Amino acid sequence: MKNTAWQRCLAVCLLCVAAYPTSVVGAAEKPADASDYQERVQVGFNGVYRTGSWTPLVVLLPAPAATADPSAAAEVLHVWVEDPDGQYLRSPPVAAIAAPDGTRAAHFCVRFGRPTARVMVEHAAAEVRLSNHAKAASEPVSRAGLRTHSLAQPIDSTQTVLLVLGDLPSAERAVRLLSDDTYARPRVVSITSNARALEVPSLWGCSPRDFDGVDAMVVCGQSAAVLDAAVIASIDGWVQRGGQLVFAAGASALPIQQSGSSLSRWLPGKIERMLPLWRLAAIEAYARASRPLEKNALAGFEVPVLENASAISGTVEAFAGKSSVDLPLVVRRAYGFGTLTWIGIDIDHGAFRSWPGTDTLLCELLGGRSNTNLAGRAGEHRSALDLAGQLRTAIDHFPSVQAVPFEIIAGLAVLYIVCLYPLDWWLVSRGARRPWLAWLSLPLLVCITSGLAWSTALRWKGAAWQSSSAGVMDVDVASRLARGVSYAGVWSPVNAVMNVSAHPTAAAPLSGSVDTVVSWYGAAGRGIGGTDAVLPHPSLAAADYTYSSSLHTLAGIAIAASSSRLFEAEWFATVADTPVESHLSCNAQGTLSGSLTSRLPFPLEQCLLVHAGWMYDVGPLDPGSRYEPTNGRGPRSLAGALTRRLANKDRDVAVRWEASSCDTDRILEIAGFYAAAGGSAYTTLTAGRLGRIDLSPLLEMNRVVLVGRGPIGTAWVTESDEKTDFAAAMRLPATGGSAAVLPAVLPTRAPTTVWRIVIPLDKQSATVSTE
């Protein structure tokens, strides 16, 4: 009995000791005025968001008291999220806007680099205790207050997302048809008209970048009627920037057109009237349904009739009648750099909700099993390398920076050991017989060996700043939308703190504002340095940094000696003039005819003209020069040219894809037409984030792509951050001046970049598919 009491006392003491640090940490993280101040954080769509992608985040603040300072309603906020290295990145300032219910909200667009599900909110006027991460930031930040919020766990960066705006139960069943051998399928996020998230997805300042984490979207016409105008504009911009949208509007199409909403731009043409439809044989055949729809279910069923169906700029994939111009039911067309599919049936109402054929119908509307953006990434291994990861490895390769050979490292190690024993031992004990010499010989030996190691590293890695970059420049002639995507890497020979920004060059004159964003370039998956890794990637410069007043400049980036930093940039703008004058059309044989004239102020080299599954060799295209496809030697296979097929006796053999290649031009060439090259069947890699620049879907939608080498479209600008010292940011002793000067403009490996111009064919040449 006595021993039992003693054991109980010991257990209680151990429990108290173990609980003490936890209670102290919890008290330190708790805000000082938590009882008086309440705020909420909403992230993603219905709480679903993905690491590695831009994500909408809204901070909801309570309504200010009647006696409060009027300036409190215009409070400025920042948010802090982690990058793949575990460093916190501070967002640009955002002012809280008053909502109709009296609350205040601040909308942010952030990018989570780790699955920690944690965000810190900074209040410019708040007086709260700082966390340990805030103390590591610069002095202007350390005077602000931070509150830590725990969020829902994000999904993996390798998982695809299908966003459904409307009540569509068949979406969950349809994605099962996209599952591969690993039974992985896209994540469906449904937002119904009864959910508050659909009434307030505007998030008080929605932007097209908020939908970066969405791979495909289905919008039902009935639910779209309650969408805010800002949300519609953001979705419209997301599609033009490369998104995939399915718009189901049958009976709801005519009210949408009469309301004058911007949703009418998603319709393939002007609606003349509504027509009763008693047979759905065309839809049943298009969906490959296992059983037909019940006839009595079509009572009172109406579909829209277009006023001029022959003027449709797209591909009619399903229609009722004898020809495609009689009654189009499914139209797929190019919309900027993205695709827009319209179906003239409200598949979220009536008998279509319970019809099994709706599952296969929705699967076909999303592109079927051949859709590499959905079916391809769904089965991606969480730790496998993708095409974007291969490009990241290539960007991180610098020509003048090489690893020291193992033979030299081993030789220096053996030399150091030999000098310690027996050389130093013989010199002290056997030779001079003076033990006190060890106080001189050992430091001298260490200095000599360190000097040899330093000189060896300097010989192989150099003492100058190194950089590498690659990117593409896209222009859509129909909408005059320009897109620049660029990736850059910086290697530093010294400890430094720098600022990085990117902007479009003056190669093509732009009009209006430019939407630019610069961010870190991370790998997807759970591998080392991946955005889904449990532990952060060990960094030699673990210091927080920040954005400037906008997302186009990163400031206060600490970079350690003999290390590198990788960045990515993307910008959108409108070109002032049409880059080309096209009179191209597609004849009955499926080949191109007509002419193409360049209006660019600079020449394009190594030009190619791509359409459907064919490629035409154009050669150099000078300003004002003209090209006619009929005057050349004719088209050749696009897939054969991309895969470098070679004739071997009686068959063609494709050159095997090298996953270890560091040729950035070759990687971007395949990524630009990933599906046309065969996708993962050829590269054995999924596209990853490079799937955004794949123009393969446009080749089948009356679009021609002119590809050539032109001037650099995106310029990277770097500067030393003189306000922040590296030693101060890292909490290290002060060091001497830099041995190398940071270049103002990062040079590129090649003086040119890849230009791709999307050209619409003449409307009279529009091809249609019959069912």
Side-chain angles (χ1 to χ4, degrees):
M1 188 69 179
K2 183 177 180 181
N3 295 337
T4 304
W6 171 257
Q7 293 175 357
R8 290 180 179 177
C9 294
L10 181 60
V12 172
C13 293
L14 293 178
L15 183 61
C16 294
V17 172
Y20 176 74
T22 306
S23 62
V24 172
V25 174
E29 293 181 353
K30 183 179 179 180
D33 53 349
S35 60
D36 300 330
Y37 194 98
Q38 294 181 357
E39 64 184 13
R40 294 182 295 114
V41 175
Q42 294 181 352
V43 62
F45 302 94
N46 278 354
V48 178
Y49 63 103
R50 188 171 63 188
T51 58
S53 301
W54 290 99
T55 305
L57 186 144
V58 175
V59 179
L60 301 175
L61 306 177
T67 59
D69 187 0
S71 61
E75 186 176 4
V76 177
L77 287 82
H78 299 265
V79 294
W80 294 73
V81 295
E82 292 180 87
D83 66 0
D85 294 335
Q87 304 170 17
Y88 273 87
L89 175 59
R90 184 196 194 197
S91 70
V94 174
I97 302 176
D101 58 354
T103 61
R104 298 166 297 159
H107 171 265
F108 299 88
C109 190
V110 298
R111 192 178 178 200
F112 291 87
R114 295 199 59 225
T116 55
R118 184 171 58 243
V119 63
M120 294 190 300
V121 180
E122 174 187 341
H123 297 261
E127 296 291 338
V128 293
R129 186 177 303 175
L130 296 178
S131 67
N132 294 332
H133 294 284
K135 294 179 181 179
S138 58
E139 183 64 22
V141 177
S142 64
R143 289 194 294 265
L146 298 178
R147 292 182 179 88
T148 302
H149 294 266
S150 297
L151 308 176
Q153 195 68 22
I155 62 177
D156 291 340
S157 60
T158 57
Q159 187 173 6
T160 54
V161 175
L162 172 63
L163 180 62
V164 179
L165 300 183
D167 190 6
L168 195 61
S170 58
E172 287 284 357
R173 302 190 299 265
V175 296
R176 297 177 184 176
L177 303 176
L178 298 175
S179 304
D180 57 3
D181 297 337
T182 62
Y183 301 100
R185 58 176 182 263
R187 175 69 176 271
V188 178
V189 181
S190 298
I191 303 179
T192 63
S193 57
N194 296 327
R196 187 175 185 271
L198 184 58
E199 298 174 1
V200 198
S202 61
L203 305 180
W204 298 280
C206 196
S207 66
R209 190 171 295 108
D210 290 335
F211 300 94
D212 179 63
V214 177
D215 297 281
M217 187 183 305
V218 179
V219 178
C220 301
Q222 297 288 349
S223 300
V226 301
L227 288 175
D228 186 78
V231 180
I232 299 175
S234 301
I235 297 177
D236 186 83
W238 168 79
V239 179
Q240 294 191 51
R241 294 182 178 189
Q244 179 185 0
L245 175 66
V246 175
F247 185 45
S252 58
L254 186 58
I256 288 176
Q257 178 179 278
Q258 294 174 349
S259 64
S261 171
S262 56
L263 287 172
S264 59
R265 291 181 296 182
W266 298 353
L267 300 173
K270 185 178 180 180
I271 298 176
E272 181 181 3
R273 67 183 188 278
M274 302 299 294
L275 179 69
L277 187 65
W278 300 102
R279 295 184 58 188
L280 279 180
I283 292 296
E284 294 169 354
Y286 176 77
R288 297 179 176 88
S290 59
R291 61 180 179 140
L293 188 67
E294 298 180 2
K295 293 184 178 180
N296 56 1
L298 297 179
F301 186 77
E302 294 182 338
V303 295
V305 179
L306 300 180
E307 185 177 293
N308 187 9
S310 60
I312 293 177
S313 177
T315 302
V316 180
E317 297 187 349
F319 58 90
K322 297 182 179 179
S323 64
S324 61
V325 298
D326 290 341
L327 187 59
L329 297 177
V330 177
V331 178
R332 195 184 303 270
R333 59 192 176 100
Y335 198 68
F337 301 116
T339 60
L340 198 157
T341 305
W342 169 81
I343 178 172
I345 298 174
D346 292 320
I347 59 178
D348 59 334
H349 288 78
F352 286 93
R353 292 177 57 88
S354 58
W355 180 45
T358 309
D359 306 346
T360 56
L361 174 61
L362 185 57
C363 182
E364 291 297 325
L365 293 174
L366 292 172
R369 295 179 180 269
S370 60
N371 189 344
T372 57
N373 290 334
L374 287 176
R377 284 187 61 193
E380 182 179 358
H381 194 270
R382 293 176 177 177
S383 301
L385 179 73
D386 57 12
L387 202 61
Q390 183 178 357
L391 178 62
R392 183 178 181 273
T393 303
I395 294 296
D396 203 16
H397 175 73
F398 305 94
S400 300
V401 178
Q402 302 179 10
V404 180
F406 175 76
E407 295 80 2
I408 297 180
I409 298 177
L412 289 176
V414 171
L415 179 62
Y416 181 68
I417 295 175
V418 170
C419 291
L420 283 178
Y421 183 88
L423 180 60
D424 186 63
W425 174 82
W426 179 86
L427 179 63
V428 176
S429 301
R430 295 292 183 179
R433 296 183 180 272
R434 296 178 180 178
W436 59 268
L437 287 177
W439 294 97
L440 300 178
S441 60
L442 184 59
L444 182 62
L445 180 61
V446 172
C447 292
I448 294 175
T449 308
S450 301
L452 290 175
W454 178 82
S455 60
T456 302
L458 188 63
R459 164 65 177 81
W460 289 94
K461 296 187 176 182
W465 287 81
Q466 301 290 331
S467 63
S468 62
S469 65
V472 295
M473 176 71 183
D474 298 331
V475 179
D476 179 56
V477 174
S479 60
R480 292 190 179 182
L481 178 64
R483 174 180 63 182
V485 181
S486 183
Y487 308 90
V490 181
W491 186 88
S492 173
V494 295
N495 297 330
V497 179
M498 62 180 182
N499 303 334
V500 176
S501 62
H503 61 84
T505 61
L510 305 177
S511 62
S513 60
V514 181
D515 183 11
T516 307
V517 58
V518 179
S519 181
W520 43 263
Y521 189 16
R526 298 188 178 182
I528 298 177
T531 56
D532 302 324
V534 178
L535 297 177
H537 182 261
S539 176
L540 299 177
D544 300 338
Y545 54 108
T546 178
Y547 275 105
S548 61
S549 58
S550 62
L551 293 174
H552 63 76
T553 301
L554 287 170
I557 307 172
I559 181 170
S562 299
S563 66
S564 60
R565 284 273 193 172
L566 304 181
F567 308 96
E568 66 176 57
E570 187 177 37
W571 58 266
F572 295 90
T574 304
V575 293
D577 301 321
T578 303
V580 295
E581 180 182 348
S582 172
H583 299 283
L584 296 174
S585 61
C586 185
N587 53 35
Q589 290 75 26
T591 58
L592 295 177
S593 60
S595 63
L596 176 70
T597 304
S598 174
R599 299 302 181 192
L600 293 171
F602 53 84
L604 287 177
E605 303 292 338
Q606 306 174 14
C607 293
L608 303 172
L609 198 61
V610 181
H611 171 63
W614 303 101
M615 184 175 67
Y616 300 79
D617 292 318
V618 180
L621 194 63
D622 297 326
S625 61
R626 182 177 179 179
Y627 169 74
E628 297 180 359
T630 55
N631 294 338
R633 62 178 184 179
R636 57 193 177 107
S637 172
L638 174 60
L642 291 174
T643 58
R644 304 289 195 266
R645 289 180 183 173
L646 301 176
N648 185 10
K649 295 182 180 180
D650 58 344
R651 59 179 183 146
D652 293 338
V653 179
V655 177
R656 183 179 179 182
W657 177 257
E658 295 291 339
S660 59
S661 174
C662 293
D663 187 354
T664 56
D665 293 340
R666 176 63 175 157
I667 297 174
L668 291 176
E669 178 186 13
I670 294 297
F673 297 98
Y674 177 75
S680 58
Y682 170 63
T683 62
T684 68
L685 305 175
T686 56
R689 284 185 63 84
L690 290 184
R692 302 175 300 165
I693 65 174
D694 184 14
L695 298 182
S696 300
L698 304 183
L699 301 180
E700 303 292 339
M701 301 178 189
N702 307 318
R703 289 296 188 269
V704 179
V705 180
L706 177 65
V707 185
R709 307 288 302 187
I712 298 174
T714 304
W716 289 87
V717 179
T718 59
E719 61 179 357
S720 298
D721 192 344
E722 300 178 355
K723 298 180 181 180
T724 306
D725 181 67
F726 180 86
M730 297 297 298
R731 301 292 181 177
L732 298 175
T735 58
S738 301
V741 179
L742 178 64
V745 179
L746 295 180
T748 57
R749 294 179 179 177
T752 60
T753 190
V754 179
W755 283 69
R756 303 184 302 177
I757 303 176
V758 181
I759 307 169
L761 294 175
D762 290 343
K763 293 183 179 180
Q764 62 269 19
S765 66
T767 58
V768 296
S769 63
T770 60
E771 295 291 337

